Amino acid sequence: MTLRHMTCIEDLRQVARRKVPRAFFDYAEAGSYSQETLHANRGDLERIKLRQRVLVDVSQRELATTIIGEKAALPLALAPIGLCGMQHGDGEILACRAAQAAGIPFTLSTMSICSIEDVAEATGKPFWFQLYVIRDRGFIKALIERAAAARCSALVLTVDLQVLGQRHCDIRNGMTVPPEIRIGNVIDMATKPAWAFSVLRGKRKTFGNLAGHVKGMEDVTSLAQWTASQFDPTLNWKDVEWIKSLWPGKLILKGILDVEDAKIAAKTGAAAMVVSNHGGRQLDGASSSISALPKIADAVGSEIEIMFDGGIRSGQDVMRALALGARSCMIGRSYIYGLGAYGQAGVAKAIELIGKELDVTMALTGTRSLRDIDRQVIAQL
Ligand SMILES: Cc1cc2nc3c(=O)[nH]c(=O)nc-3n(C[C@H](O)[C@H](O)[C@H](O)COP(=O)(O)O)c2cc1C
């Protein structure tokens, strides 16, 4: 099947599954432990039914908006994805270009393959940088300075990964960077020549933001181990103040799922928060992001901009999240499938599909503008 025949995100997923080596495809797909929260993210979205409204003049529809004051063609942003460049060589650069061409924000992960500087050099406009706080605070300060020097327009501080949730498949597949040399992995990669070619040709094969910046850690395998042991379990609200004092631009707090936390987050002066459970990859047994959203929106929606992620696979899902109080959504796996399937064109396709679905969903629910979308659009929760 060619790109032209891709009708939905699931089509892109099927192609990515064939093209991307198993260890990396599974890494993207998986949730933590028994994946209850991963499944709840999708299940709870699907249960929300929309109201079909008729005989409303919907000839003029407006999908453009602003996200933290930045113009966006859609209420959508690309979420930070670690090892994005292992789904396709130079994946971060390609995804950033696709997002910029579509007029929406791209977020580069701390755990990316291409570095902040690589992406800045290869793309035209500012992007967002996601920060993981690790124990070495000198390194964090330097990373924030690098993001500012690269003209990143927002810092996305991820607050739900002080300790790493386990994904069983990563252990079974020997998922390391670079991949563990196992006979199964080698055979698998040998049967994915387009992937192998793109990754070999790519700028880097390791964590671009860390390599060369962490003393004595030039060797990539120990670098991966270093990273896993470096996430900082002491991270707390005081650190948010410290990070805010270092970062000159807008701050987004990503990974809020509880109303009490949302109330504290709203007082930090951050420009936005992302209601998120890390795509079901951290606390297994946590509520779905969509079930947490309305309570948080009710509590703090008038004080701070609310973004949402977790399970978005269509424009209908974006509509559900907007109706329950989000101003915009982030997508993770939806664009990663596009990237693994067709590189930059696949990411562009994922954004286009979701944008068109949202447009038609607006028409069929009788909404002309994003401002009209509220709980009235929902038939049943
Ligand atoms: C493969 C993968 C890697 C991720 N890496 C990061 C990361 O480096 N930093 C981060 O804040 N979130 C990370 N996330 C979480 C996403 O930013 C986002 O919250 C999640 O993917 C949203 O759920 P969705 O994939 O169902 O859209 C990752 C998610 C996936 C699937």
Side-chain angles (χ1 to χ4, degrees):
M1 281 225 285
T2 65
L3 186 64
R4 218 158 41 87
H5 298 111
M6 297 291 108
T7 59
C8 59
I9 297 297
E10 178 58 22
D11 284 352
L12 293 170
R13 179 177 167 275
Q14 292 298 340
V15 177
R17 197 151 68 113
R18 287 198 300 274
K19 288 197 176 175
V20 176
R22 170 105 191 250
F24 294 112
F25 183 79
D26 285 356
Y27 162 73
E29 280 275 90
S32 57
Y33 303 98
S34 45
Q35 309 192 121
E36 284 173 27
T37 299
L38 173 83
H39 297 308
N41 276 353
R42 285 292 314 140
D44 287 355
L45 272 167
E46 277 171 9
R47 264 191 291 281
I48 297 169
K49 299 301 168 215
L50 300 170
R51 275 174 81 195
Q52 169 179 306
R53 299 302 304 275
V54 298
L55 298 175
V56 180
D57 176 355
V58 288
S59 55
Q60 306 288 324
R61 299 185 296 282
E62 180 57 63
L63 280 79
T65 184
T66 56
I67 307 179
I68 58 160
E70 296 179 11
K71 280 192 181 145
L74 293 167
L76 202 66
L78 300 192
I81 298 289
L83 308 189
C84 188
M86 284 288 153
Q87 303 292 327
H88 190 288
D90 287 341
E92 291 88 0
I93 292 174
L94 302 183
C96 185
R97 284 187 181 143
Q100 291 183 346
I104 65 169
F106 166 78
T107 319
L108 182 73
S109 165
T110 294
M111 304 306 291
S112 56
I113 301 294
C114 296
S115 69
I116 306 176
E117 293 80 10
D118 294 338
V119 178
E121 200 181 291
T123 61
K125 297 183 201 127
F127 52 93
W128 295 354
F129 180 67
Q130 175 264 330
L131 185 70
Y132 275 135
V133 177
I134 54 176
R135 292 171 202 260
D136 180 347
R137 294 304 163 94
F139 176 71
I140 290 301
K141 191 164 176 283
L143 204 53
I144 293 174
E145 284 163 8
R146 285 168 64 194
R151 294 197 310 122
C152 290
S153 58
L155 188 71
V156 179
L157 174 64
T158 298
V159 295
D160 60 3
L161 200 140
Q162 279 161 284
V163 168
L164 198 63
Q166 176 173 302
R167 291 179 297 265
H168 300 333
C169 64
D170 291 349
I171 295 173
R172 292 189 192 119
N173 292 333
M175 236 302 289
T176 57
V177 176
E180 197 177 294
I181 306 297
R182 284 187 184 177
I183 189 72
N185 287 349
V186 173
I187 294 171
D188 186 32
M189 284 172 203
T191 61
K192 281 45 189 208
W195 174 88
F197 184 65
S198 85
V199 168
L200 284 177
R201 243 186 20 176
K203 262 181 160 9
R204 294 176 194 272
K205 277 103 204 133
T206 182
F207 297 111
N209 291 325
L210 313 182
H213 295 272
V214 181
K215 278 185 231 94
M217 289 291 168
E218 308 313 323
D219 160 42
V220 278
T221 310
S222 56
L223 190 59
Q225 279 163 1
W226 175 86
T227 318
S229 66
Q230 275 293 315
F231 290 112
D232 189 350
T234 71
L235 184 68
N236 62 70
W237 289 106
K238 279 216 156 46
D239 296 312
V240 176
E241 270 174 45
W242 176 69
I243 287 160
K244 209 162 172 296
S245 73
L246 296 174
W247 175 248
K250 293 201 168 149
L251 182 70
I252 300 174
L253 298 177
K254 174 174 180 283
I256 306 283
L257 205 63
D258 189 272
V259 172
E260 292 313 310
D261 289 339
K263 286 181 184 162
I264 306 171
K267 302 267 178 280
T268 59
M273 71 172 74
V274 188
V275 174
S276 170
N277 53 30
H278 216 101
R281 293 162 81 83
Q282 282 295 98
L283 176 62
D284 195 32
S287 15
S288 65
S289 303
I290 198 70
S291 66
L293 175 65
K295 292 172 237 166
I296 293 180
D298 285 346
V300 297
S302 58
E303 292 170 54
I304 184 168
E305 188 166 325
I306 309 259
M307 302 182 69
F308 170 87
D309 79 19
I312 299 272
R313 302 287 179 272
S314 68
Q316 289 84 339
D317 292 337
V318 174
M319 173 64 97
R320 290 168 166 131
L322 299 184
L324 291 177
R327 197 183 148 94
S328 62
C329 296
M330 281 188 161
I331 48 171
R333 295 177 183 88
S334 287
Y335 95 79
I336 284 300
Y337 297 144
L339 180 67
Y342 297 105
Q344 182 175 336
V347 179
K349 190 69 178 181
I351 299 167
E352 178 199 315
L353 285 168
I354 291 179
K356 283 191 175 160
E357 288 162 349
L358 177 61
D359 183 44
V360 171
T361 304
M362 282 172 67
L364 298 179
T365 51
T367 39
R368 281 178 284 241
S369 115
L370 299 175
R371 275 189 306 278
D372 299 340
I373 302 174
D374 60 18
R375 284 183 207 173
Q376 294 298 318
V377 175
I378 306 260
Q380 195 188 315
L381 261 184

